[in-house]
Amino acid sequence: MGRLRGVAGRLRALLGTARRRVDPALRTLTPAGRGVLALTVVAWILGWRLGWDEMTLLAATGLVLLAICALFMIGRTNLEVRVAVEPPRVSVGESVAGSLSVVNKARTPALPFVLELPVGEGGVAFSYPLMRPGGTQEEIFVVPTEKRGVIDVGPATSVRGDPVGLFRRDLGWSDVSEIFVHPRIVPLEPLGTGLMRDLEGVTSNNVSMSDLAFHALREYTPGDDLRHVHWRSSARHGKLLVRQFLDTRRSHLTIVVDSRPGSYRSDDDYETAVSVAGSLLVRALLDEYDASFASGRHAASKVVGKAVLDACARAEPSPETLVSVAREANRLAPDTSFAVLVSGPFTDFVELQRAAGQFGIDVAKAAVRVDHELTPAVRTAGDLPLLTLGRLEELAPLLHWGIG
């Protein structure tokens, strides 16, 4: 029994080794290759069991065809592939050029192969002839940027196969690069929320004992920090006086864009809504505000520099309600001081008010409705200014009139 168990163990080990060696080869078979292999096996069984010479000939033909095609897969591919795209950030419609550099790092010539490079929803393919060791070849391609969004470039994948298409081996050689296609924006005047700045931000009416905005002097009470005693005034009045300050806070603009396709008359109106958000966010950064953005499943808090438009580029239509997105935006940016809601004509005013209500009562709020069929207008219902526009160019005058 012990000898039988030993033989069985060795047999399992051999089968495992054989399977590990055969599996990579079987994975290179295409659906057509698997069909030819299956037909060859069936024809050989029929020819052997029934004595059909025709089946035996068919099996031999299939075997020879598989063997010849398998010869094209012999050898290892060792490439160095570099993908570069410039610039990595553009506005809608601007051109982006990419380069694909391939070096054969193997000691033997590389057999002809195809290099596939996914670009967004499409891709490009380059055919390479026999490449000598150390050989280099460079290709140029253009990335389409007609639509706002994030375009994934890569990974570059080499494709080795035979002329008949029975075998195929794909190998990835590069990482995925991102190209940010930013929304179109327009220049805006400073937002001017009517609040006065100091060294660190914007002053409020909240009294504090430790800040940068000096407010007044008051009589010392036990527990006050002696560092805030104003000694000259204390000597003049004959009693201890301490400095009193106002709390300061940095203005924080949060933009919430309705992502539901049913809220807009067209896809172009949604793109205009994102452009409105991008224009306001860029102006906020120029005014040294903090800036946050939320639309659908994507949200970014306190983005700075180019990342503010990167956040807009990632926005996509999704079914989340404006109220739920505003609630998430308030969670991510609880220190928001100015909130702007952007939506389409099919979002009723009550929902806009409910979304605005997700922010605190001390937060200034405004709404923008994008509708290319209506004329520009500004109105206020309750405490929520509502700006209506159809084109991005109408934002600057409306903004100055409505909340400037």
Side-chain angles (χ1 to χ4, degrees), residues 216-282:
L217 293 174
R218 65 166 177 81
E219 190 172 349
Y220 173 85
T221 58
D224 287 341
D225 193 337
L226 292 177
R227 292 177 301 176
H228 296 149
V229 173
H230 196 282
W231 297 107
R232 184 175 299 177
S233 297
S234 298
R236 186 163 53 247
H237 291 84
K239 57 182 177 180
L240 286 179
L241 298 176
V242 294
R243 298 181 182 88
Q244 195 173 38
F245 302 86
L246 287 177
D247 272 336
T248 59
R249 60 189 176 97
R250 184 178 176 86
S251 291
H252 188 156
L253 174 66
T254 296
I255 309 289
V256 179
V257 177
D258 196 341
S259 62
R260 294 169 297 177
S263 298
Y264 302 90
R265 293 190 187 276
S266 66
D267 293 341
D268 290 339
D269 280 356
Y270 175 67
E271 293 303 318
T272 301
V274 177
S275 292
V276 167
S279 301
L280 289 170
L281 291 169
V282 169

Side-chain angles (χ1 to χ4, degrees), residues 86-163:
E86 287 293 337
R89 292 176 172 85
V90 295
S91 295
V92 173
E94 294 181 352
S95 59
V96 176
S99 63
L100 180 68
S101 177
V102 180
V103 179
N104 180 19
K105 299 183 67 177
R107 298 180 180 179
T108 57
L111 296 176
F113 63 94
V114 174
L115 203 63
E116 296 179 348
L117 182 68
V119 180
E121 297 179 355
V124 292
F126 302 100
S127 297
Y128 292 86
L130 186 71
M131 186 178 291
R132 61 180 178 79
T136 303
Q137 190 163 338
E138 186 170 349
E139 305 286 350
I140 303 296
F141 59 94
V142 177
V143 180
T145 58
E146 288 80 11
K147 295 182 179 181
R148 173 195 58 82
V150 181
I151 301 174
D152 291 334
V153 179
T157 304
S158 64
V159 180
R160 281 275 302 275
D162 60 272

Side-chain angles (χ1 to χ4, degrees), residues 164-241:
V164 181
L166 302 185
F167 294 90
R168 177 187 172 104
R169 181 190 296 140
D170 297 346
L171 295 174
W173 298 101
S174 69
D175 297 327
V176 177
S177 302
E178 290 184 329
I179 299 175
F180 291 91
V181 183
H182 291 162
R184 190 168 61 92
I185 64 173
V186 293
L188 301 174
E189 296 180 1
L191 297 179
T193 58
L195 302 175
M196 180 169 44
R197 292 177 180 278
D198 62 20
L199 292 178
E200 286 296 320
V202 179
T203 61
S204 71
N205 293 322
N206 300 322
V207 175
S208 170
M209 288 306 298
S210 59
D211 217 306
L212 292 180
F214 174 72
H215 176 54
L217 293 174
R218 65 166 177 81
E219 190 172 349
Y220 173 85
T221 58
D224 287 341
D225 193 337
L226 292 177
R227 292 177 301 176
H228 296 149
V229 173
H230 196 282
W231 297 107
R232 184 175 299 177
S233 297
S234 298
R236 186 163 53 247
H237 291 84
K239 57 182 177 180
L240 286 179
L241 298 176

